[in-house]
Amino acid sequence: NDMATTITAKGDLLVGTGNATYDNLAVGTTGYTLVADSGETTGLKWAAPASSGMTLITRNSFSNVATVDIDSIFSSTYYSYMVVIESIQAATAADDLHLQMRYGSSTTTGNYQGGSATMGISATTLTSPQSGTTSEFTLAATTGSSTYPSSFVLYFNRVGQSSQNPRWHGTGSNAEGSAIHWIGGWTTISQTYTGIRLKSSSSNITGVVAVYGLAAA
């Protein structure tokens, strides 16, 4: 009976506090988890769950547009980011897929460097270097179609914190071109970059892009 009277509300727990002693631990805030804490009388407490290693910042869909600007995604909150191009296609599937960096409402249109290695179904690997004179970075030589869209996972760092030249690398697949891509690039123009622009070389694009913060500052 003593145990029953110790419990006073829904969700209460009986917790040992020592040899042959116990106490009531009241239910915690909705969504909180039970964690050990030797500093508490009961040795336990309710606490907000630890943040996950990946936080969704935004998920955007777009349809039949010349360019898509995904702004205000890089900030001082995180050191590293993951951009998942879940699917992307162009009105002309064979168009190049381009990436540009943005800061505020401005777009960097020069000094992109890096390259990509592409493996097709023939298992031939081709390297496509990009010099610093290019006005955009080419993620792939084929954007893809509604039947065979492309998808990419890209990691960005040196963005959002201060004026730096950003870095990105990742992989992608393109069923239209029957290819897998390995990508790495940067621009030598330093800015406090806050977003990206995606476009094809000559036609409108459609797709879905999600952005995640990875390493909290």
Side-chain angles (χ1 to χ4, degrees):
N1 289 339
D2 184 52
M3 284 188 179
T5 57
T6 301
I7 295 175
T8 60
K10 177 181 177 181
D12 283 0
L13 297 176
L14 286 176
V15 181
T17 56
N19 183 24
T21 62
Y22 57 88
D23 200 354
N24 173 18
L25 179 64
V27 66
T29 302
T30 300
Y32 275 33
T33 58
L34 196 62
V35 297
D37 187 339
S38 61
E40 297 289 324
T41 301
T42 61
L44 298 170
K45 71 177 181 181
W46 295 99
S51 59
S52 64
M54 187 165 62
T55 302
L56 177 65
I57 295 172
T58 187
R59 185 175 183 269
N60 293 348
S61 60
F62 47 93
S63 180
N64 199 35
V65 294
T67 61
V68 57
D69 294 337
I70 308 175
D71 291 327
S72 302
I73 54 174
F74 304 142
S75 69
S76 59
T77 303
Y78 298 95
Y79 287 124
S80 300
Y81 297 83
M82 181 172 69
V83 175
V84 181
I85 303 175
E86 298 178 15
S87 67
I88 194 164
Q89 65 196 57
T92 302
D95 280 351
D96 292 352
L97 177 60
H98 292 158
L99 166 74
Q100 292 174 314
M101 298 300 299
R102 286 179 50 84
Y103 53 101
S105 59
S106 300
T107 304
T108 292
T109 57
N111 291 75
Y112 288 92
Q113 298 187 21
S116 62
T118 302
M119 179 180 291
I121 56 175
S122 63
T124 300
T125 301
L126 303 174
T127 301
S128 302
Q130 299 179 46
S131 70
T133 61
T134 58
S135 59
E136 64 274 316
F137 183 84
T138 300
L139 290 172
T142 306
T143 299
S145 66
S146 58
T147 304
Y148 301 113
S150 295
S151 60
F152 296 84
V153 177
L154 302 173
Y155 297 92
F156 288 77
N157 52 37
R158 295 174 61 85
V159 292
Q161 294 287 324
S162 60
S163 182
Q164 296 178 300
N165 55 323
R167 302 283 194 274
W168 56 87
H169 70 277
T171 58
S173 62
N174 184 302
E176 184 74 31
S178 301
I180 299 172
H181 309 279
W182 291 267
I183 300 151
W186 62 93
T187 173
T188 59
I189 297 176
S190 294
Q191 297 286 350
T192 304
Y193 287 102
T194 55
I196 61 173
R197 168 175 287 183
L198 295 171
K199 64 185 183 69
S200 81
S201 54
S202 68
S203 63
N204 287 359
I205 57 174
T206 296
V208 180
V209 177
V211 181
Y212 298 85
L214 297 182

